[in-house]
Amino acid sequence: MNNLLIVLILLGLCISLSNGFDMLGGSKVTFSNQLEHSKLLKVLCDNDEGEQLVKIGKEYEFTFGDSIFKTTRYSCKMDQGPNFKHHQEFVAYDASWSKALEATCKWIAREDGIYFSQDGNPPLRRYEWDGPHLLKT
């Protein structure tokens, strides 16, 4: 009986650890619309929250617990309105980018490209609209 209880406890711990560390806080990905001329920003990520429309000056963010195995990764697509003809697809978060338990990634949509800031560092332009997937830094 004691062995069965120990096995069940260990199994429960393994399942909860593989699903993330929500109890320790969460990592966050933010998308900020700093486009001009009242353009909407459409964001679609593989986080199961569906398509999000972000108005000028507003942000969309989602938080999550990282996998203990550092395998958490989210890919996203951003399109700028009004006709959403300019777009870019990219990896918005990868657990290997940060050593912090609560990593923060911020993506900023501007007319001249998409900027990235991690863990409070100044934003740098990483992508062009409709351009190559990653600018050389």
Side-chain angles (χ1 to χ4, degrees):
M1 182 68 167
N2 285 339
N3 289 342
L4 178 61
L5 182 61
I6 291 171
V7 168
L8 289 175
I9 290 172
L10 289 175
L11 182 63
L13 285 173
C14 289
I15 291 171
S16 67
L17 288 176
S18 69
N19 287 335
F21 275 119
D22 290 326
M23 297 166 289
L24 296 177
S27 293
K28 177 171 45 174
V29 177
T30 303
F31 299 90
S32 176
N33 183 348
Q34 295 182 8
L35 296 167
E36 298 174 0
H37 312 295
S38 300
K39 291 181 184 175
L40 288 174
L41 177 67
K42 182 170 37 172
V43 179
L44 179 61
C45 297
D46 57 4
N47 63 348
D48 296 329
E49 289 192 15
E51 185 177 280
Q52 305 292 319
L53 290 177
V54 184
K55 294 180 180 179
I56 280 257
K58 301 294 182 186
E59 294 182 341
Y60 157 64
E61 70 181 32
F62 63 92
T63 58
F64 51 92
D66 276 320
S67 164
I68 188 172
F69 305 110
K70 294 289 230 176
T71 57
T72 306
R73 182 181 172 120
Y74 290 105
S75 295
C76 299
K77 180 180 180 190
M78 291 174 39
D79 300 274
Q80 60 167 296
N83 298 322
F84 302 108
K85 63 181 179 177
H86 300 294
H87 62 275
Q88 185 57 267
E89 293 182 50
F90 55 95
V91 174
Y93 179 84
D94 191 308
S96 67
W97 294 347
S98 178
K99 293 183 169 105
L101 283 176
E102 297 181 4
T104 301
C105 294
K106 184 170 187 172
W107 295 94
I108 304 165
R110 296 181 181 159
E111 292 297 321
D112 67 337
I114 300 169
Y115 289 71
F116 176 68
S117 171
Q118 182 177 352
D119 299 329
N121 292 317
L124 299 172
R125 190 168 72 132
R126 295 290 300 271
Y127 297 98
E128 295 176 342
W129 293 105
D130 305 314
H133 284 288
L134 181 63
L135 294 174
K136 294 180 179 171
T137 55

